[in-house]
Amino acid sequence: QVQLVESGGGLVQAGGSLRLSCAASGRTFSNYAMGWFRQAPGKERRFVSQINKSGGTTYYADSVEGRFTISRDNAKNTVYLQMNSLKPEDTGVYFCAARQQWGSVVLATSVNDYYYWGQGTQVTVSS
């Protein structure tokens, strides 16, 4: 079992920045690839970014590429999402998720690809 707790959300003006954190506990954090998803009101939860278990490989949705940066600190059991140049369409609840990584990382963009989820943190970007 892996427990995930997100933090760092809030209200920010368009063009601003936020840094989300996701603290993990339970199993060996460095065995898991981590993902960030977001869910806007009335919409499906969508992939934002993924990082492999060592932190050396990252993936991004086209909508956030060049503005968001995912990173992790395995010594602190934490994954981060630095969000810059925020837009109103970035508004939503942001969730971190974990999936065990066996061997090389595989791009996983579906909610069904991840086994463990946090409760989410709200990000609101005003225009």
Side-chain angles (χ1 to χ4, degrees), residues 11-89:
L11 173 65
V12 64
Q13 289 188 332
S17 298
L18 282 174
R19 188 195 197 202
L20 305 184
S21 299
C22 173
S25 61
R27 294 285 181 91
T28 304
F29 181 66
S30 58
N31 287 342
Y32 290 81
M34 301 297 295
W36 284 98
F37 287 72
R38 67 186 179 193
Q39 188 167 16
K43 296 192 176 181
E44 294 182 347
R45 196 171 298 188
R46 295 199 172 201
F47 172 79
V48 173
S49 184
Q50 181 191 355
I51 190 167
N52 74 328
K53 61 183 181 180
S54 69
T57 301
T58 58
Y59 301 101
Y60 298 94
D62 289 344
S63 59
V64 307
E65 179 81 54
R67 300 187 297 122
F68 290 12
T69 302
I70 190 171
S71 62
R72 66 190 295 162
D73 185 337
N74 286 346
K76 295 183 178 179
N77 290 352
T78 302
V79 62
Y80 304 97
L81 187 67
Q82 177 67 43
M83 305 186 296
N84 299 329
S85 302
L86 282 161
K87 305 175 181 180
E89 51 263 44

Side-chain angles (χ1 to χ4, degrees), residues 96-111:
C96 70
R99 56 177 272 125
Q100 195 151 11
Q101 180 180 330
W102 304 101
S104 299
V105 65
V106 174
L107 176 59
T109 61
S110 168
V111 295

